[in-house]
Amino acid sequence: MKLADLLQGGPLLFDGGMGTMLSRHGVPADCDSGSANLRYPEIVADIHREYLAAGAKVISANTFQANELRLGDQTEAAVSAAIAAARSAGAEIVALDIGPTGELLAPMGKLSYDRAFQVFSRQVLAGSAAGVDLILIETFFDPEEIKAAIAAAKEHTELPVIATMTFGERGRTITGATPAQAVAALEAAGVEALGVNCSYGPDQLLPVVEQMLALTRLPLLVQPNAGLPVFRDGKAEYDLTPDQFAQKLAAMAEMGVSMLGGCCGTTPEHIAALSGRLKNK
C-alpha cells in the first residue's frame, strides 16, 4: 500500500481519541490502554466501529502504549489483539500506532538510543506480523526518540511511515525543538509524511501547521486535541464542540493539510462532523 494512492481522493480522514472512548465505554482508569486489547477486546472493536461509522478511513490500532517497557511478555499478544480488533470492526486501512516509551533518552534520562530502538523494533515486528498497512509514530517530543522509532520501522518493514510530534504553547516541544527542527529531523529520517498531533486545540496548533506547510512538500497529518483541557473534579475535559472542531480542521484542509483526525478529547462525533465538511473537498 502506497500513501500517495490513499491521498488521490482528497483529504484522508483518520480517527480520533482512543483513551477518551475507553473511558466513555467504562474501561477502568487503572487499565493500561495496551492491556485493554487483551481484557476488553470487544470494547476496543466497538470503538473502531464507531469511528468507521463516523467516516474515518484510517483506523489507528490501540497500540500506542503496547511496548515491552509497559507490557513485557504480553507485547506481541497485545499488538496482535489490537490489530484483530480493528479488522473485526471492518477497518480496511489499519495503522500500527506507536507512542513514546514513557522514558527519557540519555542524557536527560536513562534510556539509551539503542535500547529505545530495540523496544520499538519489537513493537514494529509484532505489528508487521499482524498485518498492518502503515505505521503511525505519534505524540513524540524528543527528536532523538522519534528517530529511533522511525529507524525501527524502516529497518524491519517497507510500510509507509507517518511521524507526528507534539508542541507546547510557545511552538516548541518539551525538549525545545522548533517546527523547523522537527521537519528537518523527520525528513532526514525518511518518513513518507509528517505532522503534529495532541498538543492543544486547532487554534493553538495553527502557527505550527503553517510553518510545517511552508517547510515541507511531504503530506501533512494534523490531529489536535478537542481544544484546551479544562479540569473539573480532577478530570480533564475538552470543550471544543464537534462542529467547532470540524470547522477549524476543514480550514486547515483548505490550506493544504492532506490528512486530518483527532487526538485527546475527540470522539466519533467530532470525526463525523469533520467528515461532513470534507466530503466536497
Side-chain angles (χ1 to χ4, degrees), residues 169-228:
E169 284 184 287
R170 290 185 286 183
R172 289 176 178 264
T173 69
I174 294 175
T175 57
T178 65
Q181 290 170 326
V183 168
L186 297 177
E187 285 190 337
V191 299
E192 279 70 34
L194 55 84
V196 57
N197 79 295
C198 198
S199 309
Y200 295 99
D203 288 339
Q204 292 75 22
L205 282 187
L206 184 58
V208 175
V209 173
E210 289 174 333
Q211 290 181 62
M212 286 186 163
L213 283 169
L215 290 166
T216 185
R217 293 185 179 182
L218 291 178
L220 209 68
L221 169 62
V222 178
Q223 292 184 287
N225 292 343
L228 294 169

Side-chain angles (χ1 to χ4, degrees), residues 13-214:
L13 187 58
F14 282 60
D15 53 13
M18 173 56 76
T20 299
M21 293 301 294
L22 288 171
S23 177
R24 177 188 282 190
H25 281 262
V27 173
D30 62 353
C31 177
D32 183 282
S33 67
S35 299
N37 299 313
L38 300 174
R39 295 173 59 184
Y40 305 100
E42 280 305 316
I43 290 179
V44 174
D46 285 343
I47 293 169
H48 292 321
R49 289 187 188 97
E50 291 181 50
Y51 278 121
L52 287 166
K57 300 302 181 185
V58 179
I59 291 297
S60 298
N62 185 35
T63 53
F64 181 78
Q65 295 181 323
N67 63 66
E68 69 173 84
L69 296 184
R70 293 179 179 272
L71 297 178
D73 291 340
Q74 290 187 313
T75 299
E76 285 77 13
V79 170
S80 179
I83 308 307
R87 294 297 187 196
S88 71
E92 296 182 2
I93 307 171
V94 178
L96 176 70
D97 190 351
I98 297 178
T101 59
E103 297 189 16
L104 293 174
L105 262 65
M108 291 183 292
K110 297 180 179 180
L111 188 68
S112 69
Y113 177 93
D114 289 344
R115 177 63 178 134
F117 176 81
Q118 291 174 353
V119 170
F120 293 129
S121 292
R122 184 171 179 179
Q123 194 173 7
V124 165
L125 288 168
S128 178
V132 296
D133 303 297
L134 56 89
I135 297 177
L136 173 61
I137 300 170
E138 60 158 325
T139 326
F140 282 71
F141 54 82
D142 181 356
E144 290 304 307
E145 186 180 18
I146 199 169
K147 284 192 285 187
I150 296 167
K154 290 292 182 180
E155 167 123 351
H156 299 297
T157 78
E158 295 183 356
L159 297 171
V161 177
I162 303 171
T164 63
M165 298 190 73
T166 181
F167 293 82
E169 284 184 287
R170 290 185 286 183
R172 289 176 178 264
T173 69
I174 294 175
T175 57
T178 65
Q181 290 170 326
V183 168
L186 297 177
E187 285 190 337
V191 299
E192 279 70 34
L194 55 84
V196 57
N197 79 295
C198 198
S199 309
Y200 295 99
D203 288 339
Q204 292 75 22
L205 282 187
L206 184 58
V208 175
V209 173
E210 289 174 333
Q211 290 181 62
M212 286 186 163
L213 283 169

